[in-house]
């Protein structure tokens, strides 16, 4: 275990240093994402203002405010696009050198993504979360998040992170066939923003659609941890939500292993 940590911890540390070196680009991304969250906030406030019911999709107006900004915090932490790194490695030929190194390529990507996640948790995740908690308690008159709920949320976020990264690794394998996947990544991001509950809470969909989403990994990426934070899962529902996330981590890991073995068999490297 010690050797394993010594091998992959440098990937975590180097990714944090990389993010610190390009703070301007990161802050611009954070500002644009937060700006879109405020657009969603005003849109949903208008919807609740024109609605005769104070509850939409099982969420009150105050809960929707928390949902919107916790979606921002959660998405920032879990949606690390390792497919971008895979695409660059394939185009620039670095994937060949990675194959001859005494490391596991996928594990190195997960370690890099974890470093990215740590940075986004500290900046701006913690500050936005604290601001949201203060607003929730002193303006919305809601209760502080309980320590147990916070722990369950962080556990759910960690599994969401693994689900997203393992899924994105599988998606990145397309680069071995098409080389250039920038357009496909744009389409993937647009589709995931809908399927993960970033744009619309999944509870607003018809019951039949919700049941379909329960058997897909996408709702476990963002929607599940945010609903855990809101306390919408209790008892057996909470156990099933976390268990479903764990199952998808295992399934996507196995799927990634199968795909990786197949794509490396067809890899052709010229020169040397």
């Amino acid at each position: 275990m010690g050797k394993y940590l010594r091998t992959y911890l440098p990937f975590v540390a180097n990714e944090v240093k990389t993010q610190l070196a390009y703070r301007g680009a990161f802050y611009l991304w954070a500002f644009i994402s937060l700006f879109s969250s405020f657009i969603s906030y005003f849109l949903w406030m208008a919807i609740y203002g024109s609605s005769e019911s104070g509850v939409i999709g099982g969420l009150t107006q105050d809960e929707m405010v928390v949902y919107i900004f916790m979606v921002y915090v959660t998405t920032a932490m879990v949606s690390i696009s390792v497919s971008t790194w895979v695409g660059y490695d394939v185009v620039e030929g670095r994937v060949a050198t990675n194959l001859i190194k005494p490391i596991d390529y996928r594990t190195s990507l997960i370690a890099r993504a974890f470093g990215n996640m740590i940075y986004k948790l500290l900046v701006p995740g913690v500050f936005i979360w604290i601001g949201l908690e203060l607003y929730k308690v002193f303006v919305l008159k809601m209760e502080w998040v309980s320590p147990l709920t916070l722990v369950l949320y962080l556990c759910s976020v960690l599994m969401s992170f693994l689900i997203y990264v393992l899924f994105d690794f599988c998606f990145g394998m397309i680069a071995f066939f098409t080389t250039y996947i920038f357009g496909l990544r744009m389409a993937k991001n647009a589709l995931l923003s809908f399927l993960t509950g970033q744009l619309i809470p999944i509870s607003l969909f018809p019951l039949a659609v919700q049941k379909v989403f329960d058997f897909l990994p996408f709702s476990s990426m963002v929607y599940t941890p945010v609903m855990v934070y809101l306390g919408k899962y209790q008892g057996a529902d909470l156990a099933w939500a976390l268990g479903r996330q764990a199952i998808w981590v295992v399934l996507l890991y196995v799927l990634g292993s199968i795909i990786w073995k197949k794509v490396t068999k067809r890899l052709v490297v010229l020169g040397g």
Side-chain angles (χ1 to χ4, degrees):
M1 185 65 179
K3 182 180 179 181
Y4 187 86
L5 291 176
R6 287 195 301 270
T7 301
Y8 294 103
L9 278 179
F11 288 95
V12 178
N14 288 337
E15 185 59 29
V16 174
K17 293 177 182 177
T18 299
Q19 295 298 322
L20 288 171
Y22 296 97
R23 289 191 296 262
F26 172 78
Y27 292 147
L28 179 61
W29 168 84
F31 173 77
I32 293 174
S33 300
L34 188 59
F35 182 74
S36 65
S37 296
F38 275 103
I39 293 176
S40 297
Y41 166 80
F42 288 113
L43 176 62
W44 280 108
M45 292 307 97
I47 292 174
Y48 274 93
S50 60
S51 173
E52 296 181 357
S53 173
V55 179
I56 300 178
L59 298 172
T60 65
Q61 182 172 332
D62 292 344
E63 288 174 337
M64 182 61 77
V65 173
V66 179
Y67 181 90
I68 292 168
F69 291 101
M70 285 308 298
V71 161
Y72 169 80
V73 173
T74 305
T75 302
M77 288 191 292
V78 306
S79 59
I80 314 299
S81 184
V82 298
S83 61
T84 303
W85 301 335
V86 174
Y88 287 148
D89 286 346
V90 171
V91 171
E92 298 175 9
R94 289 195 299 264
V95 68
T97 58
N98 285 322
L99 288 174
I100 62 175
K101 292 179 180 178
I103 60 172
D104 180 75
Y105 180 61
R106 176 173 55 179
T107 305
S108 69
L109 291 176
I110 294 174
R112 285 183 62 188
F114 188 69
N116 201 308
M117 177 189 180
I118 291 174
Y119 182 79
K120 290 181 177 178
L121 170 61
L122 299 177
V123 183
V126 168
F127 298 101
I128 294 176
W129 172 74
I130 293 175
L132 178 62
E133 277 296 300
L134 292 173
Y135 181 81
K136 185 179 76 171
V137 172
F138 294 106
V139 178
L140 301 181
K141 305 303 179 182
M142 299 173 69
E143 296 182 356
W144 294 100
V145 60
S146 68
L148 177 60
T149 299
L150 182 58
V151 170
L152 291 172
Y153 167 75
L154 292 176
C155 290
S156 182
V157 164
L158 180 59
M159 287 191 286
S160 297
F161 163 78
L162 291 173
I163 291 171
Y164 190 99
V165 170
L166 292 171
F167 168 81
D168 209 45
F169 175 80
C170 295
F171 178 83
M173 294 299 100
I174 298 175
F176 284 84
F177 300 91
T178 63
T179 304
Y180 189 73
I181 61 171
F182 178 80
L184 290 174
R185 284 195 292 106
M186 294 297 100
K188 178 208 68 175
N189 292 338
L191 188 60
L192 286 183
S193 66
F194 177 75
L195 295 176
T196 59
Q198 295 179 43
L199 294 178
I200 304 174
I202 294 175
S203 59
L204 269 70
F205 289 96
L207 186 59
V209 177
Q210 293 183 43
K211 290 182 178 179
V212 173
F213 280 16
D214 282 342
F215 290 95
L216 295 175
F218 309 114
S219 63
S220 295
M221 294 178 181
V222 175
Y223 179 76
T224 295
V226 174
M227 295 303 276
V228 169
Y229 187 86
L230 284 170
K232 292 298 182 179
Y233 292 135
Q234 299 291 335
D237 291 336
L238 176 61
W240 165 238
L242 297 177
R244 184 173 62 222
Q245 286 186 297
I247 291 171
W248 274 115
V249 169
V250 174
L251 291 178
L252 288 171
Y253 185 88
V254 173
L255 178 62
S257 299
I258 295 172
I259 297 175
W260 178 245
K261 289 180 180 179
K262 290 186 177 296
V263 298
T264 51
K265 286 181 181 180
R266 73 180 302 276
L267 178 64
V268 177
V269 180
L270 302 179

